[in-house]
Amino acid sequence: MPEPIKVLVTGAAGQIAYSLLYSVAKGDVFGKDQPIILVLLDITPMMEVLKGVVMELQDCALPLVQEMIPTDKIEEAFKDIDAALLVGAMPRRDGMERKDLLAANVKIFQEQGKALDHYAKKTVKVVVVGNPANTNAFICSKFAPSIPKENFSALTRLDQNRAQAQIAGRLNVPNNAVKNCIIWGNHSSTQFPDVSHATVTKNGVVQPVAEAVKDDHWLNNEFIKTVQNRGAAVIKARKLSSAMSAAKAICDHMRDWWFGTHEGEWVSMAVPSDGSYEIEQDLMYSFPVNIKNGKYTIVQGLKIDDNAREKMNVTMKELKEEREMALAACQE
Ligand SMILES: NC(=O)C1=CN([C@@H]2O[C@H](COP(=O)(O)OP(=O)(O)OC[C@H]3O[C@@H](n4cnc5c(N)ncnc54)[C@H](O)[C@@H]3O)[C@@H](O)[C@H]2O)C=CC1
Ligand SMILES: O=C([O-])CC(=O)C(=O)O
């Protein structure tokens, strides 16, 4: 058995964590042979609820969980961690945009950036989930200058999974028959879900999604809008934001970062831009990435037509605006 790794989940008493913790604890993310020390951070008023979550995790009798550390102390939570799943933040309600959460949430990520800088391993891998996820991840990285910026990411895998499922449903194929859907930009309603490089395997034949769907109008309109607004649609129906599907996407994101992507396949992650595809450097922008040996590289050379360029710029512009608002909020 390898040495245990220390995994932090914030917002551990919340609804995403309730689905996420079981999957992490049973080895879906870091492997079936990897012992884990689970660090569970929430705020002081949630400590009683968190106690109940810890009891339930104990009662799952899982072999990989070596220790659980429930805490409301940031210095204890971030000490020597190998991975950080930063979920804890206020969720939006019906009628709000995710960026409306900036004022409430950005300070959390400023504080946690500083804590990462002081207490975490320099190799820590960080995924920010709390909204607005891209901008919170940008701030988190900014306040953790001793940790390489490549170690920070934000979750857009839920959007990728939504896109994949919409295409699979439309073509009446299993979800895993659809590959290489891309989410460009912000985890918001300006994101650009792009299937122009995606493929589908149908009746044993691999073909471009656009050829299989044979309806460009649907792909350029209804499909994009459905994916962009899926989070809001779930809130409208459930009166709470996505949790089960968000937890699954967090697992997909960190598992692929830890173990790598399959040959010929890519996944979408919001990562600091290196200027690829003319996206302003350092913005936390979602790109297609390949992952090998724990390191991602942005997929290069994809053809971008005028229509795609326009959509990629719209979401970049929103990220720049959010960045200015976030930086101003951090000065207050
Ligand atoms: N990026 C994505 O794809 C998605 C992001 N989200 C976002 O994830 C976040 C969490 O969502 P839910 O679990 O549904 O919310 P929730 O309200 O059920 O749970 C959030 C938990 O975070 C805790 N928390 C608040 N401030 C904290 C702090 N400073 N440190 C540690 N814990 C803290 C709260 O006490 C609560 O227990 C929201 O911001 C939501 O919008 C949700 C779905 C998908
Ligand atoms: O929509 C929300 O507020 C929660 C979220 O980020 C999502 O479901 O994609």
Side-chain angles (χ1 to χ4, degrees):
M1 273 274 187
E3 285 292 298
I5 55 167
K6 223 171 167 189
V7 179
L8 167 66
V9 176
T10 71
Q15 55 146 4
I16 293 177
Y18 196 70
S19 295
L20 176 63
L21 288 170
Y22 174 61
S23 297
V24 173
K26 77 179 175 42
D28 288 355
V29 179
F30 301 101
K32 304 285 177 202
D33 302 318
Q34 177 60 63
I36 288 178
I37 299 170
L38 260 183
V39 191
L40 308 171
L41 178 71
D42 211 296
I43 52 175
T44 310
M46 295 304 283
M47 285 301 105
E48 191 59 24
V49 175
L50 188 56
K51 220 183 249 178
V53 174
V54 169
M55 282 190 246
E56 282 211 62
L57 274 167
Q58 266 171 350
D59 298 346
C60 290
L62 293 162
L64 294 175
V65 181
Q66 195 156 93
E67 191 185 346
M68 280 186 268
I69 307 176
T71 184
D72 56 359
K73 294 185 183 52
I74 196 159
E75 62 281 5
E76 184 180 22
F78 284 81
K79 182 89 189 130
D80 293 335
I81 51 171
D82 297 283
L85 312 178
L86 302 185
V87 180
M90 191 193 281
R92 67 174 169 154
R93 303 281 177 211
D94 199 9
M96 292 168 79
E97 285 295 331
R98 294 183 186 92
K99 64 184 160 202
D100 298 336
L101 295 168
L102 243 177
N105 288 343
V106 78
K107 289 259 167 80
I108 297 175
F109 293 91
Q110 180 182 17
E111 188 193 20
Q112 294 184 354
K114 289 179 186 168
L116 281 159
D117 201 46
H118 282 113
Y119 304 113
K121 287 189 183 161
K122 300 303 171 201
T123 51
V124 64
K125 286 183 162 56
V126 182
V127 53
V128 173
V129 179
N131 277 316
N134 301 51
T135 298
N136 287 335
F138 171 84
I139 291 295
C140 205
S141 169
K142 186 178 167 57
F143 284 91
S146 69
I147 296 175
K149 61 183 186 211
E150 296 74 23
N151 296 22
F152 290 82
S153 67
L155 187 76
T156 53
R157 185 61 170 265
L158 177 54
D159 308 291
Q160 178 192 315
N161 289 349
R162 287 166 172 162
Q164 186 180 341
Q166 287 300 314
I167 298 294
R170 171 85 182 197
L171 294 172
N172 203 17
V173 296
N175 287 313
N176 62 359
V178 179
K179 310 255 189 250
N180 293 348
C181 296
I182 298 172
I183 304 299
W184 299 100
N186 200 2
H187 173 64
S188 77
S189 53
T190 67
Q191 67 178 262
F192 172 33
D194 176 10
V195 292
S196 59
H197 309 279
T199 61
V200 58
T201 307
K202 209 174 173 190
N203 305 322
V205 180
V206 181
Q207 58 179 324
V209 159
E211 265 176 35
V213 170
K214 295 191 191 71
D215 186 346
D216 285 348
H217 189 264
W218 180 81
L219 280 176
N220 288 324
N221 295 278
E222 200 181 323
F223 162 73
I224 290 180
K225 283 205 172 65
T226 300
V227 178
Q228 286 175 331
N229 296 310
R230 188 67 160 187
V234 170
I235 293 171
K236 205 165 170 41
R238 234 170 66 84
K239 318 291 178 240
L240 286 169
S241 57
S242 298
M244 180 179 24
S245 55
K248 158 67 167 56
I250 297 166
C251 293
D252 289 344
H253 176 114
M254 190 51 91
R255 184 203 56 234
D256 287 347
W257 199 359
W258 208 260
F259 288 109
T261 46
H262 298 291
E263 196 58 42
E265 286 180 33
W266 57 67
V267 293
S268 291
M269 287 168 64
V271 296
S273 172
D274 60 358
S276 293
Y277 299 100
E278 295 168 42
I279 300 305
E280 187 175 307
Q281 207 145 357
D282 289 340
L283 274 185
M284 199 59 78
Y285 193 96
S286 180
F287 290 99
V289 299
N290 293 125
I291 306 167
K292 214 174 173 179
N293 301 326
K295 302 234 177 292
Y296 62 79
T297 45
I298 295 172
V299 175
Q300 298 297 319
L302 296 173
K303 196 168 171 296
I304 307 294
D305 65 17
D306 290 347
N307 178 34
R309 169 60 53 202
E310 197 184 315
K311 291 183 164 60
M312 287 163 71
N313 284 347
V314 167
T315 191
M316 172 164 69
K317 181 167 173 280
E318 183 183 47
L319 278 170
K320 285 160 79 171
E321 288 162 4
E322 282 186 19
R323 180 181 60 190
E324 295 321 305
M325 286 194 288
L327 289 170
C330 287
Q331 305 282 315
E332 283 163 14

